[in-house]
Amino acid sequence: MVRSRSVRNNNEVIVSLEHFSSLISSRPIELLTIAANPNEYYGAFWINKEGRSPRLIRPPKLPLRKIQRKLLRFLYSRIPLPNFLHGGVPGKSIFSHAAAHLHKNFVATLDVSSFYPSTTEDAVTEVLILSGFRGEALNIATKLVTLDNQLPQGAPTSCLLANASMRKADIRIKRMCKLSGLVYSRYVDDIAISGNLDFHDKLFIVKKALHDLKYSLNEDKSSYNDRSKPQNITGLIVNDKLRPDKCFRSELKKDLWFGIDHGGVLLSDIKGMNIKSVKKSLSGRISHLNQADKNFGKDFRGLLHGINWHREL
C-alpha cells in the first residue's frame, strides 16, 4: 500500500485504490465495479420549472450513494470552505448569504449558468488533486463523482465539488471586492456583491473570472439595483431588513414538494447537506415566512411534516 505525505497542509497523499477504499470504509472491488460503468448506477428524471428549462436530476442508486456520502465526509475534512461561501456549508444558509448585503446602496446578483453541468471532469480532477488524490485513486474517485463529463445533480458530492471548482474565480472576485470596498458572498451558483459606491463598471471582472474557468453568467437571472428598487438576494429583500418575496415563497414550496414527491434523502443530497441540516434550513425558512404571513407559515409547516426523511430511491 502506497502512503506518503504531501507538503500542503501535511495531508496524506492518496495514491492506491487500497488506501482510498480504506479511507471511506469500502471494498476495492466495489469501487472498481462502479467506476467501470458509472451510468448503470444512476437514475434519471426531469423537473419542470415554470418559465425555465427542464432540469435533469441524476440521483445515484444506493450502492454509489453510500460511497459518495462517505467520500463527501472525507472531502469536507480536506477542502477549505471560505467564509464568503454559504450554500452547502454547515451552519450557513440563504439568510447568512443575504444578510451580508443589508443596507447597501448598490447590490448585484449574478447567476452562474448551468453550474453543475458546466463543472467538467477536468475541474473536478483539479479539486481532487488539491484534496490529496493521485494516480489510481484519483482516476477512480473522479469516475465515482462525475457522469458524462459533468457533475450529476442529485449526487451528494456534487455541491461541495462545484463549490470548490470555483476557487480560482472566487479568489479573483474576492480580491477585486476587497480593493473596491465591496462585500462578496456566494450561495452555490448565486453570486452577490454589494457596496455603497457604484461598481457596475467592475462586473466585467466577475464575467472574466468565470469565463476563464469555462463558466458563464445567466444574464436573464442577474441584476444590478440601487436602493430605489427592491434589492433581491435568493428571494430575500435586503434594502432595510430581510423580507421574503414571492420568489422566496415559491422556491420554498418547490423544495417542500420535491421532498414530498422524492423523499428527504434525495432533497438532502441535492442540497449537499445532511438531513438534520436540511430540516433545520426548511424550518428556518418557514419560520421566516410565518413572520410575514401566518397562513402560509401554517400551510408550509404542514408540507414539511409530509416529507418522508427515511425514503431511499
Side-chain angles (χ1 to χ4, degrees), residues 116-184:
Y116 287 7
S118 298
T119 303
T120 64
E121 189 174 302
D122 286 344
V124 172
T125 297
E126 184 174 338
V127 172
L128 292 174
I129 289 173
L130 290 172
S131 302
F133 286 87
R134 303 288 189 278
E136 182 183 28
L138 173 64
N139 182 48
I140 296 297
T142 302
K143 290 178 179 178
L144 291 174
V145 297
T146 60
L147 182 67
D148 300 328
N149 194 33
Q150 61 184 245
L151 285 175
Q153 186 149 6
T157 44
S158 290
C159 185
L160 178 61
L161 290 170
N163 273 335
S165 73
M166 281 273 288
R167 182 182 62 90
K168 290 180 180 178
D170 282 331
I171 290 171
R172 291 171 62 181
I173 299 168
K174 178 65 176 177
R175 183 185 301 123
M176 179 273 288
C177 289
K178 184 176 181 180
L179 292 173
S180 304
L182 304 173
V183 177
Y184 173 64

Side-chain angles (χ1 to χ4, degrees), residues 72-100:
L72 178 64
R73 288 194 291 271
F74 175 75
L75 291 173
Y76 266 122
S77 72
R78 291 290 181 104
I79 296 175
L81 299 172
N83 58 13
F84 56 75
L85 201 58
H86 296 263
V89 178
K92 300 290 189 71
S93 67
I94 59 171
F95 298 107
S96 59
H97 172 54

Side-chain angles (χ1 to χ4, degrees), residues 58-76:
R58 301 300 307 268
K61 296 177 182 178
L62 191 57
L64 176 56
R65 189 184 310 144
K66 287 182 176 179
I67 290 170
Q68 289 176 340
R69 286 177 185 154
K70 289 186 283 189
L71 178 55
L72 178 64
R73 288 194 291 271
F74 175 75
L75 291 173
Y76 266 122

Side-chain angles (χ1 to χ4, degrees), residues 255-311:
D255 281 347
L256 291 168
W257 274 109
F258 185 94
I260 290 171
D261 290 340
H262 304 287
V265 172
L266 180 55
L267 177 62
S268 301
D269 286 344
I270 287 177
K271 298 292 184 183
M273 299 187 290
N274 59 41
I275 288 176
K276 181 179 179 180
S277 296
V278 172
K279 283 183 178 179
K280 183 178 179 181
S281 172
L282 290 173
S283 182
R285 290 162 68 188
I286 292 171
S287 295
H288 197 81
L289 180 62
N290 187 66
Q291 295 175 22
D293 191 314
K294 293 188 182 300
N295 289 328
F296 277 119
K298 181 180 179 180
D299 291 345
F300 282 22
R301 186 72 63 184
L303 293 177
L304 178 60
H305 290 318
I307 296 176
N308 183 340
W309 295 97
H310 304 286
R311 172 183 168 190

Side-chain angles (χ1 to χ4, degrees), residues 57 161 233 241 280:
I57 304 298
L161 290 170
I233 298 177
K241 63 179 182 179
K280 183 178 179 181

